[in-house]
Amino acid sequence: MTRQQILTLISIASVNFSSMICYSILGPFFPNEAVKKGASQTDIGLIFGCYAVCNLIGSLILGKYIVQIGAKFMLVTGLFVSSGCTILFGLLDRVPAGPPFIALCFIVRSIDALGFAAAMTSSFAMTAKIFPNNVATVLGSLEIFTGLGLILGPPVGGWFYQSFGYEVPFMLLGCFLLIMVPFNIYVLPTIDADASKDSFFRLLTNVKILLICYLIFTLSAGLGFLDATLSLFAIEKFNLSPGYVGLIMLGLSLPYCLASPLMGYFVDKYPATRSWFMVTGGLATGLGFCLLGPAPFLNISGPLWLLVIMLGVIGFSLGMTALPTFPEIITCVDQGYEEGLSTLGLVSGLFGAVWSFGMFYGPIVGGFITQNLNFEWAALIQGGLAFLAAEVNALLSEQRNQRHQCGGARAPAPPAAVVPGKTA
């Protein structure tokens, strides 16, 4: 690898790890803390959901104007904003219970989401630009650090909360994220590019891209649903402490972390398997959610070990399904698009926006169903969405194999391709 590629890997790995550990610490204890402050299950879902809405809006806007803003400046600024909001979120336990607490949760989470959108949109686009022929392999390798953040966040957050109270987890991790700002200013390379006149609407005219977007939506909706509901369900049903809930969540993130590099390498080496991976992963995700509760019509008790195993199935299938989607969207982009960072910014922004829409839908709708029915029914409905996405993509893949095309007469080369001898 060139020096620019090595520095980019180091920088984006640090962004993935620090951002995700700050994001994932909420799961084990915040829902329970919010209930003490007068928030309902629906309110908690909305607090998680507003993060996704602002992330969605930010991803679309920042993805469109990544060249004008500058990819490096966008990433570093996003880290700085997220670090400040993480620290501020740790001070909300001092706010009076009721509407003041809920309102400030919305405000701080919304601003934090914009910072997160800036960091992740630029990191995806820069990765695809600097590694045009190994997008899935590099993303899979970087997902090790994303997975480590997701793995360490819940147990570290739950343990610090249980030992030192509400403020300490946010203060420590917010300061850690702040340290990443000067580090990335130093190591991240600057990428020059020209602006493009293309738009998101043109991307969405491709049916294959639309169905991949729906698949991405079901994955993030499932994760958002688990963020807002799993801890309360585990605490009530199994009488667990927040620290143990954090350990249970390892069942979701650990398989994803371990499997991502291998899956990324495999789908890069054998691009024809991407559709098969997405379909199989979607079916496995649907099965995992159906047995997570488990589904009421199965009439089984649902012991703790079954919950942990199904979280592992969902985590593994998440890597199988999510990793091929980004390079597959790039492959399906029409040949009329201009090659370069601007087009990759659009793809990255679309990916982030769809993911965020699922993270908005999952906590709100899942929290509403859980509050009015129960967790088991909510998980079953979420599993049904994943089954539907897998079946529709399977049908389209079959038609695509028959016609030997993707959005046109032939599958175009990825827009990230560069002139031989150049890395950016």
Side-chain angles (χ1 to χ4, degrees):
M1 292 188 293
T2 65
R3 180 176 180 274
Q4 185 185 51
Q5 290 176 323
I6 295 173
L7 291 177
T8 302
L9 278 180
I10 295 173
S11 176
I12 297 178
S14 69
V15 171
N16 287 6
F17 175 75
S18 56
S19 297
M20 295 313 298
I21 194 172
C22 289
Y23 169 81
S24 62
I25 61 172
L26 292 179
F29 63 87
F30 177 75
N32 192 45
E33 189 73 22
V35 168
K36 295 178 184 178
K37 286 285 189 177
S40 66
Q41 181 69 67
T42 302
D43 292 330
I44 296 171
L46 287 171
I47 291 171
F48 279 94
C50 77
Y51 184 94
V53 170
C54 294
N55 205 331
L56 186 156
I57 297 172
S59 295
L60 290 176
I61 296 175
L62 296 170
K64 173 65 176 176
Y65 297 103
I66 186 172
V67 173
Q68 291 86 339
I69 298 172
K72 179 176 180 177
F73 178 79
M74 184 186 295
L75 189 149
V76 172
T77 304
L79 281 180
F80 180 77
V81 171
S82 292
S83 64
C85 289
T86 301
I87 294 172
L88 288 176
F89 208 82
L91 301 175
L92 293 183
D93 65 323
R94 305 183 183 186
V95 177
F101 173 80
I102 296 173
L104 284 175
C105 283
F106 278 118
I107 294 172
V108 176
R109 287 284 285 176
S110 298
I111 298 174
D112 189 14
L114 294 177
F116 184 81
M120 299 311 294
T121 299
S122 57
S123 68
F124 271 105
M126 292 177 70
T127 300
K129 172 65 179 177
I130 297 178
F131 300 92
N133 301 317
N134 310 92
V135 176
T137 302
V138 175
L139 289 179
S141 300
L142 290 172
E143 287 306 297
I144 294 177
F145 300 92
T146 301
L148 284 176
L150 291 172
I151 288 170
L152 294 177
V156 168
W159 184 80
F160 275 115
Y161 170 78
Q162 197 169 329
S163 302
F164 303 104
Y166 178 84
E167 296 182 4
V168 173
F170 295 101
M171 295 297 174
L172 289 177
L173 296 180
C175 291
F176 175 75
L177 192 62
L178 189 61
I179 294 174
M180 293 294 102
V181 173
F183 172 75
N184 280 279
I185 291 176
Y186 175 73
V187 303
L188 191 66
T190 300
I191 298 179
D192 296 323
D194 296 324
S196 170
K197 295 181 180 180
D198 292 316
S199 67
F200 290 103
F201 297 104
R202 191 174 172 196
L203 280 177
L204 296 176
T205 59
N206 189 304
V207 177
K208 177 67 174 178
I209 293 178
L210 276 176
L211 292 180
I212 293 175
C213 287
Y214 175 63
L215 185 63
I216 296 169
F217 161 78
T218 62
L219 297 176
S220 59
L223 291 179
F225 162 72
L226 293 176
D227 279 342
T229 59
L230 181 62
S231 62
L232 290 177
F233 172 72
I235 290 172
E236 292 173 3
K237 183 172 182 178
F238 302 108
N239 196 27
L240 300 176
S241 67
Y244 280 107
V245 173
L247 291 176
I248 287 176
M249 289 183 172
L250 289 177
L252 179 67
S253 51
L254 188 59
Y256 175 75
C257 176
L258 296 177
S260 291
L262 180 61
M263 291 181 181
Y265 171 79
F266 194 86
V267 299
D268 262 343
K269 189 173 181 61
Y270 306 101
T273 63
R274 290 173 186 164
S275 297
W276 181 86
F277 266 73
M278 290 188 289
V279 171
T280 306
L283 293 174
T285 301
L287 177 64
F289 274 105
C290 289
L291 295 177
L292 190 64
F297 60 81
L298 294 177
N299 295 320
I300 56 179
S301 60
L304 181 59
W305 62 264
L306 180 62
L307 175 71
V308 175
I309 291 177
M310 288 304 104
L311 286 176
V313 170
I314 294 171
F316 183 83
S317 62
L318 174 64
M320 180 181 291
T321 311
L323 283 174
T325 56
F326 192 79
E328 190 71 0
I329 291 176
I330 294 177
T331 302
C332 290
V333 169
D334 188 74
Q335 284 181 315
Y337 272 82
E338 299 178 15
E339 298 181 1
L341 184 64
S342 183
T343 298
L344 293 173
L346 290 177
V347 175
S348 180
L350 178 65
F351 184 94
V354 174
W355 186 272
S356 299
F357 181 63
M359 294 297 287
F360 169 76
Y361 169 91
I364 293 178
V365 177
F368 178 79
I369 297 174
T370 301
Q371 183 172 325
N372 290 276
L373 295 175
N374 54 40
F375 178 85
E376 290 83 354
W377 277 110
L380 177 62
I381 293 172
Q382 184 58 51
L385 293 177
F387 274 127
L388 178 61
E391 299 234 354
V392 173
N393 274 278
L395 291 175
L396 185 67
S397 297
E398 182 64 26
Q399 294 178 359
R400 181 189 173 191
N401 290 335
Q402 293 174 357
R403 298 176 183 177
H404 301 284
Q405 65 180 13
C406 176
R410 63 185 181 88
V418 294
V419 177
K422 295 184 180 181
T423 58

PDB file of all heavy atoms in Angstrom, residues 2 42 89 98 144 302 374 390:
ATOM      1  N   THR A   2       0.337   2.302  -0.588  1.00  0.00           N
ATOM      2  CA  THR A   2       1.032   3.579  -0.572  1.00  0.00           C
ATOM      3  C   THR A   2       0.900   4.221   0.806  1.00  0.00           C
ATOM      4  O   THR A   2       0.091   3.812   1.642  1.00  0.00           O
ATOM      5  CB  THR A   2       0.441   4.529  -1.617  1.00  0.00           C
ATOM      6  OG1 THR A   2      -0.915   4.841  -1.257  1.00  0.00           O
ATOM      7  CG2 THR A   2       0.455   3.896  -3.008  1.00  0.00           C
ATOM      8  N   THR A  42     -42.237   4.824  24.313  1.00  0.00           N
ATOM      9  CA  THR A  42     -42.333   5.554  23.041  1.00  0.00           C
ATOM     10  C   THR A  42     -41.387   6.748  23.022  1.00  0.00           C
ATOM     11  O   THR A  42     -40.750   7.044  21.997  1.00  0.00           O
ATOM     12  CB  THR A  42     -43.784   6.023  22.806  1.00  0.00           C
ATOM     13  OG1 THR A  42     -44.652   4.886  22.820  1.00  0.00           O
ATOM     14  CG2 THR A  42     -43.911   6.733  21.472  1.00  0.00           C
ATOM     15  N   PHE A  89     -24.187  14.972  26.905  1.00  0.00           N
ATOM     16  CA  PHE A  89     -25.200  13.969  27.214  1.00  0.00           C
ATOM     17  C   PHE A  89     -24.979  13.372  28.599  1.00  0.00           C
ATOM     18  O   PHE A  89     -25.926  12.940  29.263  1.00  0.00           O
ATOM     19  CB  PHE A  89     -25.181  12.865  26.162  1.00  0.00           C
ATOM     20  CG  PHE A  89     -26.506  12.176  25.975  1.00  0.00           C
ATOM     21  CD1 PHE A  89     -27.478  12.735  25.164  1.00  0.00           C
ATOM     22  CD2 PHE A  89     -26.779  10.983  26.614  1.00  0.00           C
ATOM     23  CE1 PHE A  89     -28.703  12.111  24.984  1.00  0.00           C
ATOM     24  CE2 PHE A  89     -27.994  10.352  26.445  1.00  0.00           C
ATOM     25  CZ  PHE A  89     -28.957  10.914  25.631  1.00  0.00           C
ATOM     26  N   GLY A  98     -38.929  14.735  33.404  1.00  0.00           N
ATOM     27  CA  GLY A  98     -40.082  15.150  32.620  1.00  0.00           C
ATOM     28  C   GLY A  98     -39.691  15.836  31.324  1.00  0.00           C
ATOM     29  O   GLY A  98     -38.641  15.539  30.725  1.00  0.00           O
ATOM     30  N   ILE A 144     -13.724  -4.358  11.688  1.00  0.00           N
ATOM     31  CA  ILE A 144     -13.168  -4.902  12.932  1.00  0.00           C
ATOM     32  C   ILE A 144     -13.204  -3.828  14.009  1.00  0.00           C
ATOM     33  O   ILE A 144     -13.599  -4.065  15.162  1.00  0.00           O
ATOM     34  CB  ILE A 144     -11.717  -5.386  12.714  1.00  0.00           C
ATOM     35  CG1 ILE A 144     -11.689  -6.580  11.768  1.00  0.00           C
ATOM     36  CG2 ILE A 144     -11.066  -5.750  14.047  1.00  0.00           C
ATOM     37  CD1 ILE A 144     -10.288  -7.053  11.451  1.00  0.00           C
ATOM     38  N   GLY A 302     -38.485 -19.446  25.748  1.00  0.00           N
ATOM     39  CA  GLY A 302     -37.463 -18.466  25.382  1.00  0.00           C
ATOM     40  C   GLY A 302     -36.437 -18.252  26.475  1.00  0.00           C
ATOM     41  O   GLY A 302     -36.386 -17.175  27.080  1.00  0.00           O
ATOM     42  N   ASN A 374     -46.063  -6.508  22.875  1.00  0.00           N
ATOM     43  CA  ASN A 374     -44.925  -6.951  23.690  1.00  0.00           C
ATOM     44  C   ASN A 374     -43.695  -7.070  22.794  1.00  0.00           C
ATOM     45  O   ASN A 374     -43.766  -6.906  21.572  1.00  0.00           O
ATOM     46  CB  ASN A 374     -45.213  -8.287  24.402  1.00  0.00           C
ATOM     47  CG  ASN A 374     -45.660  -9.380  23.447  1.00  0.00           C
ATOM     48  OD1 ASN A 374     -45.145  -9.511  22.336  1.00  0.00           O
ATOM     49  ND2 ASN A 374     -46.643 -10.164  23.872  1.00  0.00           N
ATOM     50  N   ALA A 390     -35.174 -10.188   1.705  1.00  0.00           N
ATOM     51  CA  ALA A 390     -34.404 -11.288   1.131  1.00  0.00           C
ATOM     52  C   ALA A 390     -35.113 -11.892  -0.071  1.00  0.00           C
ATOM     53  O   ALA A 390     -34.497 -12.175  -1.110  1.00  0.00           O
ATOM     54  CB  ALA A 390     -34.153 -12.353   2.195  1.00  0.00           C
TER      55      ALA A 390
END
